[in-house]
Every structure is written in C-alpha cells, then in structure tokens.
Amino acid sequence: MENTESNIINCYKKVNYYIENLENDPKLILEQFDILNEIMKEITRNSMFSGNEEFKEIPFENLKYLMIPFYQAELLVLLQNENREKNLKLALQFY
C-alpha cells in the first residue's frame, strides 16, 4: 500500500502542477484528465475512503484527494474543442 499511496501522491502533485500552469493545450488537458481518472481508480482499488466513514475520520493528508472531481471539472471547462457543450455538461457532474 505504501508504494501505491506514494504513486497516487506523485501523480496528484504532477496534475496539480499542470493545472496551475496549463496554457490551454487540449492534448495536455486530456492527459491530465486521464491521470486523474487513474488516481481515482487507485483510490477506489485501495479503499482509501469508506462510505461509512465520517469526514472527521478521514486522515488529513488524504483530504486533498476529495478535490479530484473538482480538478476534473476544471480541466473539462478549460478544454476548448468540438465537444465543448458535452464537456461543460460533464464538468457540471463533477462539480
């Protein structure tokens, strides 16, 4: 689990950096979106959060991962391509 958690942390830091420094490159935006999807799969696979866990029971260092859907929505909003309307509707679901 330690190695997996370390991998999740490293991916999260990379995506966070790119989100803060994106220059509206559709390819880069989609790559970061895919990385966030992989992080969410790892979080689910490793049961980092439980449905019966209260917010105050979540370890402080894991709270940032609750922001992943927000980051996914932000990336979709930034994505300017032929699927703009579809992307915005999907972004609303992540918010």
Side-chain angles (χ1 to χ4, degrees), residues 65-78:
Y65 301 122
L66 296 176
M67 294 292 296
I68 291 176
F70 169 79
Y71 283 133
Q72 289 175 306
E74 289 292 295
L75 288 170
L76 288 169
V77 168
L78 289 172

Side-chain angles (χ1 to χ4, degrees), residues 8 35-47:
I8 291 170
I35 290 171
L36 286 172
N37 278 335
E38 289 303 313
I39 292 172
M40 288 301 292
K41 287 177 187 175
E42 285 295 319
I43 288 170
T44 302
R45 205 176 349 240
N46 290 292
S47 303

